Amino acid sequence: MISLMTMITNNNTFGISPVGKGSRRRSYGLVNENGEKSMWKEFSLAHIKETFKSLQMEELYQYYCVHMKNSLTIALVVMATLICLTVLFYHLFDTQDTKSTEFISHVTILSSGIAGNCLFFGFVVRSKFYCHYPTSISISYWIFLLVLLNLYFNVPSYNRRPTDDMVVVFYTIFVCYTMLPLSKCWSLVLGALTVVLQLISSGVIAEDKKFLVGQLMSNFVILVCANISGMYHKYLTDLTHRRTFLEARNYIQSMFKLEREKKQQEELLNSCIPNDLVEEIKDLSKKMRNSQTSPFHDLYVQQHSDVSILYADIVNFTPLAAECTAEELVKMLNELFGRFDQLAKKNQCMRIKILGDCYYCVSGLPNPNPNHAINCVNMGLRMIDAIREVREATGVDVDMRIGVHSGMVLSGVLGLCKWQYDVWSDDVTIANHLESGGVPGKVHITKSTLEFLSNQFEVEPGAGHMRDAYLADHNIETFLIKPKVRKFDENRTIRSRFESSLRASLRVTKYLENWNVDKPFATLHVSPMATKLLSVTKDYHDFMFSLAFLDSNLVLNSIENDHGVIGPSQQLNIEINAELAKKSKDLVKKYSFKSMKKPKEDFNPILMHFSQQQEGEYQHRPDPSFKLGLLCALFMFIGVVVVQAIMSTRDALYIVSIVCGCAVFGLVITCSFFAECLTPVKGSPLTNRLLVLACYVTNSLAARICVASLCVFCVFFTSIVPVISNQSPPEDRSAVNNTKVLYWAHSSLFGMVTTSLFLQISLTFKVILTICVVIGYNLAFHFTEVFQVEMFIRNSIEPLDIATGMTVYLAVFVLTLIFHDRQVEYANRLDFLWRREFQSETEKVRSTAEQNKKLLENILPSHVADYFLSGNRSKNELYSESYDNICVMFASIPNFKDFYHQNASNKNGIECIRVLNEILVDFDQLLSKPEFSNIEKIKTIGSTYMAAAGLQPGRESGNQHGECQKNVIGMTEFALMMMVKLEEINFNSFNQFKLRVGINHGPVIAGVIGARKPQYDIWGDTVNVASRMDSSGEASKIQVPLKTANILMEAGFRYEYKGFTKVKGKEPMQTYLILPPPADT
């Protein structure tokens, strides 16, 4: 009961998983704005045609349909030719008078028919000609068949009876509807014309006028039912193909989106890490799914020898930044570092990271470069020139201090979230100290770098040991490279376009605008589908599984909310339709006779069978069109009843067959449509049981087979009721007085057509059912003496009895039905495969989009990622925020540098970096806890961990004291938990690492800078002070300034007063040390 009720609410139109069902049904117009189904809209072509028109794909679809019908049209012409040949041979070998007018006319007409069919065969096999004039050829061929039939049966006109051509005309109407590529309008016109011509010829030419009205009425009913069944096949085939065509277009559009998402993914990955690490990181999710236990987390670090490292710092930038608003600072940094990125690319350097106003890059990775030292020196000189241009144009005293060192580095990413490509080694440390001990306006290098320069630069002694203690302690000899002399007039007045009355920061910002540097993610274009896919994960902050996929429920919601297929841009629409034309041609090839001979990877076209798993899914898919099949079968039943009412005695058995048939059809049709009329009602068991029954009829394969068999049996039994009631042999075996018997035989046409009405039921079942019906009719024909009479009156040939004649007719009909049903089955299976492909590609799009989201969140906070993924931002818009109460933390492991050594035993430092990775992973995992949800990791700098609390949209200018307290307390608790985690690592690894923490709170500026490698960062005096609190702090303690200490003391944290601490660029500050809780607590 529960499972069937679930089927009611989760009814899937096409029998595949319900991914994308909501959008698909809405795109067909089957669901109104409130999500309620309409009983008939599900089968309405009007809404789909409107969609086709809006997507400019109607002409393409018609071309596709013509190709699809080509093989059927060829088969129709071939069958008509064979029938004409068979009848011609019958006349030639069984004639009694070869000189009679009847014989000559029939041979002439049949010969002309064969010639005409050969002519049309030449037209239809020429696919290009056929596809250019499909309607003209089809109309002409239908009319040709009408002329051929009327000539054959009406010339000569004597002995003409209304029953003579009934079976042939019925067959012609049915096959022309189902096999010719005509529109429904033209088919209806020609079908009506066929009926009218048959009735006129029968009424006018018939010699025996006795009971003529009854015969014409029966003819009309039989031929109308032929038109109904033909139109039913054409309508449902058109509906199915249009849906498949939309599915194919959706599939192609998803492919376009998938390629776009993949491109974005590569761009995002490459903005964070080099190409050689991309594949390794993509494998992260696979390794997670394998659930292989390991004492260590994955480490993505590689060793590179013979590289050069450049560190650059903007001198006097701090006072300049202090004057800037948030927008100005982000714009200034983006322009400066964007220009540096351009220079890095020209000089074959890779920017590693931006630290405040410090910029560092490396040459020689990921690919080796023998000119790495020359590249870095040239890069440094170009940076000095660029900043000197700023100084000259604006009068602002800024300069560059640059250090370059050559050696070995370890490069990669550490931690679980906020991945930033970084480098580590003793040589990196030396390069950093070269910058801090350098001279503004010159490039500070070591002897190892000098050896790679080949005397290409003018060099002077650097005396770095006099300006930096690290260089002195390690006895590192340094040199300075002089820039080429340029004629700068340092004292000249500032250019008029940058008035000296403006403040310095504004002058610099205005000048930098002329550099036209790209904005971050200026090339990032996100599809509406991706935006909606990603929006469902807005509150998902589990960075621990940064590449993991969303669960299927999120996928379902995201796909159902995607309406992008209805209105894509014109350019995208043209591209999709062009690809659709190509794909449709490939699909049409699968329908060709040649391709059917070759087994496909997907399924066997001869046996019409998938693999076991797919076959079960295909057979058990719901069939909403089954309702229409029942209605059409009802019309066939009514047709039989009417014909029998006219042509047979209405005895008790006839009445019983009608009552039973009406009861069966009334019950199954009512049940099948209950689901459209009723909705589940709590507390109404009758309604819910009826819904379960209705759903069971539509969705259960066994129920559909039973109901279809029952309907076919009702039509079959009603059609042979007169045979059962009239077992006596006829007194006259001539055809003159046996008109009613012929109509009893013709009633078999209704049973034959009924077997083909259920299009979605498997071919095997329909073939078995059709053969059973044919056997039943033949048993009735051949074992009942009432049919042992002449079928027609011909003087030139020996007449056949009704039993033999109907056997021949039914044999032709059953072969045609099996061939047609096979084509329908083949199309259904290919449609099923297309939809499976579409579902698969949709899954790929969703997965790739989620990967993009997680990768972007590893560069930016989630709310910033949402901003860049939204389609509402300007391409050249910069992202910046100004916050009033942000708590910033710097946590470093000062004794890690003592632990780090480069030797063969630890793989030149890789094993030391592995330990650092484990530490950072444990720190990152703390962020997934709910109590730390408002803390954002900013980056890591060596063994220093930087985070901030309160970087949330909508709270930029909040002055609430409670919010400030929450940020400070939360960050302090996070820092204390980091200390606990580090102690656990010490216990397990037998190390003695100590965490030194500095915390400060206050206003900060946040933003994204760097077009080639976008990076989110925060700036401001609050950040600088927090950094100084760390660098001047004590191990296993948290140093905070007075204003932060007041909040923590009020909250009950243990503390001790440290005194005044010197802070670079500021007056000595009064600071406190926050102590961890006692060990016993």
Side-chain angles (χ1 to χ4, degrees):
M1 177 75 175
I2 295 175
S3 62
L4 288 175
M5 288 299 291
T6 304
M7 292 167 65
I8 295 173
T9 56
N10 293 329
N11 185 15
N12 177 11
T13 301
F14 300 115
I16 58 177
S17 300
V19 175
K21 186 192 76 173
S23 62
R24 180 173 62 236
R25 292 176 65 83
R26 275 185 286 272
S27 68
Y28 295 156
L30 309 183
V31 181
N32 62 20
E33 292 180 357
N34 297 324
E36 298 176 353
K37 288 194 303 181
S38 169
M39 181 183 298
W40 298 111
K41 276 188 178 181
E42 187 170 0
F43 306 107
S44 171
L45 280 173
H47 294 80
I48 300 182
K49 285 184 175 180
E50 289 177 6
T51 303
F52 272 58
K53 185 177 179 181
S54 66
L55 295 174
Q56 302 173 358
M57 54 190 289
E58 181 65 31
E59 184 177 349
L60 187 61
Y61 168 73
Q62 294 299 335
Y63 185 78
Y64 162 81
C65 284
V66 169
H67 275 83
M68 293 284 289
K69 290 283 188 181
N70 191 19
S71 60
L72 288 173
T73 308
I74 293 173
L76 174 59
V77 175
V78 170
M79 286 189 296
T81 306
L82 292 176
I83 291 172
C84 288
L85 280 171
T86 303
V87 178
L88 178 62
F89 285 140
Y90 176 65
H91 278 280
L92 291 175
F93 294 104
D94 198 40
T95 184
Q96 296 176 344
D97 184 5
T98 58
K99 295 182 179 180
S100 66
T101 304
E102 181 180 327
F103 173 78
I104 294 172
S105 62
H106 283 165
V107 171
T108 303
I109 292 169
L110 290 170
S111 299
S112 301
I114 294 171
N117 276 298
C118 291
L119 179 63
F120 277 102
F121 182 80
F123 289 151
V124 296
V125 294
R126 295 173 59 194
S127 58
K128 290 185 178 179
F129 181 80
Y130 172 81
C131 292
H132 277 91
Y133 309 101
T135 303
S136 301
I137 292 175
S138 300
I139 294 173
S140 301
Y141 189 66
W142 196 326
I143 294 175
F144 165 75
L145 291 178
L146 285 181
V147 172
L148 184 64
L149 290 176
N150 281 276
L151 287 175
Y152 179 80
F153 286 101
N154 298 328
V155 178
S157 61
Y158 55 83
N159 295 329
R160 175 74 162 91
R161 294 189 306 164
T163 58
D164 288 348
D165 59 347
M166 275 304 301
V167 177
V168 180
V169 174
F170 186 98
Y171 176 82
T172 302
I173 291 174
F174 182 80
V175 296
C176 287
Y177 264 103
T178 56
M179 293 187 173
L180 291 179
L182 285 172
S183 66
K184 288 178 287 297
C185 181
W186 272 113
S187 297
L188 193 60
V189 169
L190 292 174
L193 177 63
T194 305
V195 175
V196 171
L197 287 177
Q198 201 284 333
L199 294 177
I200 291 174
S201 63
S202 298
V204 173
I205 303 176
E207 287 186 352
D208 186 8
K209 304 295 183 180
K210 185 176 64 175
F211 199 54
L212 182 61
V213 175
Q215 293 182 70
L216 293 180
M217 289 176 60
S218 297
N219 288 4
F220 177 76
V221 172
I222 293 173
L223 297 182
V224 165
C225 287
N227 277 273
I228 290 174
S229 63
M231 181 60 72
Y232 165 81
H233 278 85
K234 181 171 284 292
Y235 188 90
L236 271 192
T237 301
D238 188 26
L239 182 67
T240 302
H241 284 328
R242 284 184 181 273
R243 284 175 170 174
T244 301
F245 210 65
L246 272 181
E247 293 290 340
R249 192 186 186 283
N250 287 351
Y251 160 72
I252 292 167
Q253 184 166 349
S254 72
M255 287 296 294
F256 273 71
K257 293 175 179 178
L258 176 61
E259 292 302 321
R260 185 183 305 146
E261 298 297 337
K262 282 185 176 179
K263 184 178 179 181
Q264 290 179 7
Q265 179 182 4
E266 298 303 324
E267 290 176 356
L268 292 173
L269 274 171
N270 293 333
S271 72
C272 177
I273 54 178
N275 292 332
D276 57 345
L277 283 179
V278 168
E279 294 303 323
E280 284 190 61
I281 293 183
K282 283 184 178 179
D283 291 338
L284 177 61
S285 59
K286 296 180 182 178
K287 292 183 178 180
M288 287 180 177
R289 289 195 294 268
N290 290 338
S291 300
Q292 295 177 350
T293 58
S294 171
F296 295 106
H297 292 85
D298 295 286
L299 180 67
Y300 301 108
V301 173
Q302 298 173 338
Q303 179 178 333
H304 298 273
S305 301
D306 294 327
V307 300
S308 290
I309 309 104
L310 178 148
Y311 269 81
D313 187 66
I314 304 174
V315 180
N316 293 330
F317 183 80
T318 301
L320 183 66
E323 300 180 7
C324 296
T325 63
E327 293 79 7
E328 290 172 353
L329 178 61
V330 172
K331 192 171 187 178
M332 181 190 304
L333 289 172
N334 184 72
E335 297 291 339
L336 278 171
F337 293 136
R339 179 64 176 273
F340 294 164
D341 284 346
Q342 292 173 347
L343 295 175
K345 184 177 180 181
K346 290 180 181 179
N347 290 283
Q348 301 179 43
C349 295
M350 173 189 286
R351 189 247 287 171
I352 302 300
K353 196 175 288 187
I354 298 171
L355 304 175
D357 59 349
C358 178
Y359 182 102
Y360 68 100
C361 61
V362 177
S363 180
L365 65 83
N367 300 315
N369 189 326
N371 298 319
H372 55 86
I374 296 174
N375 293 336
C376 276
V377 171
N378 282 327
M379 169 73 180
L381 294 175
R382 299 293 83 79
M383 294 172 79
I384 292 172
D385 289 342
I387 207 71
R388 188 171 292 174
E389 291 176 9
V390 175
R391 183 172 65 249
E392 180 193 28
T394 63
V396 177
D397 185 20
V398 289
D399 209 334
M400 295 299 299
R401 189 172 56 235
I402 295 172
V404 176
H405 176 61
S406 302
M408 182 276 294
V409 298
L410 302 174
S411 65
V413 293
L414 299 181
L416 286 178
C417 64
K418 295 299 178 293
W419 284 338
Q420 290 185 6
Y421 188 68
D422 209 344
V423 291
W424 309 269
S425 72
D426 292 335
D427 294 317
V428 173
T429 304
I430 293 172
N432 189 5
H433 285 277
L434 283 171
E435 176 272 312
S436 60
V439 176
K442 296 183 180 181
V443 179
H444 196 196
I445 65 172
T446 60
K447 188 174 183 179
S448 61
T449 302
L450 182 62
E451 293 173 353
F452 287 101
L453 298 181
S454 304
N455 299 321
Q456 293 189 24
F457 303 93
E458 186 177 349
V459 179
E460 64 183 24
H465 62 282
M466 299 179 64
R467 296 182 296 273
D468 187 271
Y470 182 89
L471 299 177
D473 293 341
H474 291 78
N475 196 24
I476 298 175
E477 185 179 3
T478 65
F479 303 88
L480 293 172
I481 296 179
K482 299 178 181 179
K484 293 182 180 180
V485 178
R486 293 181 55 188
K487 295 183 179 179
F488 285 106
D489 186 359
E490 300 288 354
N491 298 319
R492 69 182 175 179
T493 57
I494 302 169
R495 296 175 186 176
S496 59
R497 69 178 187 272
F498 302 113
E499 296 294 339
S500 58
S501 58
L502 298 176
R503 54 186 169 86
S505 61
L506 192 57
R507 296 201 302 269
V508 172
T509 302
K510 286 185 173 292
Y511 174 74
L512 294 177
E513 289 177 357
N514 297 323
W515 283 359
N516 296 321
V517 173
D518 292 337
K519 304 300 184 290
F521 299 104
T523 59
L524 181 63
H525 302 289
V526 182
S527 65
M529 183 177 187
T531 303
K532 289 171 180 151
L533 281 166
L534 300 179
S535 67
V536 299
T537 61
K538 191 172 184 179
D539 296 322
Y540 186 75
H541 294 286
D542 189 4
F543 298 118
M544 185 164 32
F545 301 100
S546 58
L547 294 180
F549 299 155
L550 283 178
D551 67 282
S552 58
N553 292 327
L554 293 179
V555 178
L556 177 61
N557 293 335
S558 65
I559 300 297
E560 287 185 342
N561 290 329
D562 176 32
H563 312 299
V565 69
I566 301 301
S569 66
Q570 188 69 14
Q571 181 180 359
L572 180 61
N573 194 37
I574 293 172
E575 293 176 359
I576 292 174
N577 286 345
E579 184 67 17
L580 182 60
K582 179 182 176 182
K583 293 283 186 182
S584 63
K585 289 180 181 178
D586 295 337
L587 183 64
V588 167
K589 290 179 182 178
K590 292 185 177 182
Y591 283 86
S592 65
F593 290 108
K594 292 181 180 179
S595 70
M596 288 185 183
K597 298 176 183 177
K598 304 174 183 177
K600 307 288 189 300
E601 295 180 1
D602 302 310
F603 70 96
N604 189 316
I606 298 175
L607 300 177
M608 287 291 162
H609 200 276
F610 292 121
S611 62
Q612 185 173 0
Q613 181 179 0
Q614 282 187 328
E615 185 65 23
E617 185 179 347
Y618 173 78
Q619 293 292 351
H620 291 86
R621 73 201 191 285
D623 179 16
S625 66
F626 188 73
K627 297 185 277 288
L628 292 186
L630 293 176
L631 287 176
C632 194
L634 176 62
F635 280 110
M636 299 301 106
F637 175 75
I638 294 172
V640 173
V641 170
V642 173
V643 171
Q644 302 293 23
I646 297 172
M647 290 297 173
S648 65
T649 57
R650 292 177 285 278
D651 55 11
L653 185 59
Y654 172 77
I655 301 299
V656 170
S657 66
I658 292 177
V659 172
C660 292
C662 290
V664 169
F665 278 102
L667 178 63
V668 297
I669 290 176
T670 302
C671 287
S672 65
F673 280 95
F674 260 139
E676 306 291 344
C677 306
L678 302 175
T679 55
V681 178
K682 187 176 181 180
S684 177
L686 177 61
T687 300
N688 294 337
R689 284 190 176 91
L690 289 174
L691 277 170
V692 170
L693 180 62
C695 184
Y696 186 73
V697 170
T698 303
N699 293 290
S700 170
L701 174 64
R704 292 200 303 270
I705 289 177
C706 292
V707 170
S709 303
L710 191 59
C711 292
V712 171
F713 176 77
C714 287
V715 176
F716 170 79
F717 179 76
T718 307
S719 66
I720 64 170
V721 162
V723 180
I724 299 173
S725 301
N726 297 273
Q727 293 291 334
S728 59
E731 297 178 0
D732 184 4
R733 292 184 178 274
S734 66
V736 177
N737 299 315
N738 293 291
T739 300
K740 291 185 178 180
V741 177
L742 280 170
Y743 280 101
W744 297 349
H746 291 167
S747 296
S748 62
L749 298 174
F750 294 102
M752 294 295 298
V753 169
T754 306
T755 62
S756 69
L757 296 179
F758 305 100
L759 301 183
Q760 299 295 327
I761 292 181
S762 69
L763 176 64
T764 304
F765 170 75
K766 285 192 286 187
V767 169
I768 294 173
L769 187 62
T770 304
I771 291 174
C772 290
V773 171
V774 171
I775 292 173
Y777 281 128
N778 277 282
L779 289 174
F781 295 151
H782 289 279
F783 291 92
T784 305
E785 293 187 8
V786 73
F787 292 108
Q788 308 303 317
V789 297
E790 295 177 356
M791 189 170 187
F792 50 80
I793 303 172
R794 288 288 183 270
N795 295 326
S796 60
I797 57 175
E798 185 71 25
L800 297 173
D801 58 66
I802 293 177
T804 305
M806 287 305 299
T807 298
V808 173
Y809 282 142
L810 292 183
V812 174
F813 208 170
V814 73
L815 291 176
T816 304
L817 285 178
I818 290 175
F819 175 79
H820 177 262
D821 289 342
R822 186 188 185 285
Q823 289 296 99
V824 171
E825 178 79 0
Y826 198 85
N828 287 342
R829 288 181 179 268
L830 285 183
D831 292 348
F832 177 77
L833 290 175
W834 269 86
R835 289 173 181 127
R836 282 182 63 92
E837 284 188 69
F838 171 66
Q839 178 185 353
S840 175
E841 294 306 322
T842 304
E843 286 291 317
K844 291 180 182 178
V845 172
R846 187 269 310 168
S847 299
T848 306
E850 175 57 18
Q851 279 189 330
N852 286 352
K853 174 71 172 179
K854 288 304 174 185
L855 289 170
L856 191 55
E857 284 184 349
N858 270 324
I859 305 171
L860 309 173
S862 58
H863 67 279
V864 182
D866 291 337
Y867 169 81
F868 281 105
L869 286 172
S870 68
N872 301 324
R873 66 183 182 88
S874 170
K875 181 178 178 180
N876 294 318
E877 185 178 353
L878 285 167
Y879 179 83
S880 63
E881 300 167 317
S882 181
Y883 293 91
D884 291 336
N885 290 299
I886 300 300
C887 187
V888 182
M889 178 201 75
F890 283 82
S892 62
I893 306 174
N895 58 339
F896 182 80
K897 61 183 179 181
D898 300 325
F899 171 78
Y900 181 83
H901 292 284
Q902 294 179 190
N903 51 52
S905 62
N906 62 18
K907 300 178 183 178
N908 285 326
I910 287 182
E911 295 305 320
C912 299
I913 297 298
R914 186 184 302 278
V915 174
L916 178 60
N917 183 59
E918 294 300 312
I919 296 172
L920 296 179
V921 165
D922 281 359
F923 292 168
D924 288 344
Q925 288 176 340
L926 292 174
L927 294 172
S928 63
K929 293 189 175 184
E931 59 266 32
F932 303 133
S933 59
N934 70 327
I935 298 176
E936 197 74 51
K937 177 184 176 183
I938 305 299
K939 59 188 170 185
T940 58
I941 308 137
S943 61
T944 300
Y945 194 97
M946 179 182 176
L951 294 171
Q952 296 174 339
R955 300 181 180 180
E956 291 87 346
S957 57
N959 294 315
Q960 301 92 340
H961 182 67
E963 189 70 26
C964 179
Q965 282 185 317
K966 178 182 175 182
N967 293 337
V968 173
I969 294 172
M971 182 60 79
T972 305
E973 291 176 344
F974 179 70
L976 294 173
M977 188 62 71
M978 291 172 69
M979 293 180 182
V980 173
K981 281 289 182 182
L982 190 59
E983 287 301 319
E984 292 177 2
I985 293 174
N986 289 335
F987 178 80
N988 293 322
S989 62
F990 306 102
N991 285 308
Q992 297 295 324
F993 296 125
K994 298 297 181 182
L995 196 66
R996 186 184 64 199
V997 182
I999 292 179
N1000 185 29
H1001 78 279
V1004 301
I1005 296 170
V1008 179
I1009 59 173
R1012 298 188 184 277
K1013 298 182 71 173
Q1015 180 177 316
Y1016 178 81
D1017 210 342
I1018 57 176
W1019 304 272
D1021 185 65
T1022 301
V1023 179
N1024 296 333
V1025 171
S1027 176
R1028 301 305 177 190
M1029 291 294 101
D1030 167 37
S1031 59
S1032 61
E1034 297 181 12
S1036 300
K1037 297 177 183 179
I1038 304 172
Q1039 184 172 219
V1040 296
L1042 177 60
K1043 62 176 182 177
T1044 306
N1046 289 334
I1047 296 175
L1048 296 175
M1049 287 187 288
E1050 184 180 341
F1053 286 87
R1054 296 176 65 230
Y1055 68 93
E1056 65 180 34
Y1057 178 66
K1058 182 181 179 183
F1060 286 89
T1061 302
K1062 293 182 179 180
V1063 177
K1064 183 179 179 181
K1066 301 179 72 69
E1067 295 293 330
M1069 299 182 66
Q1070 194 174 9
T1071 62
Y1072 288 78
L1073 296 174
I1074 304 300
L1075 307 177
D1080 56 352
T1081 61

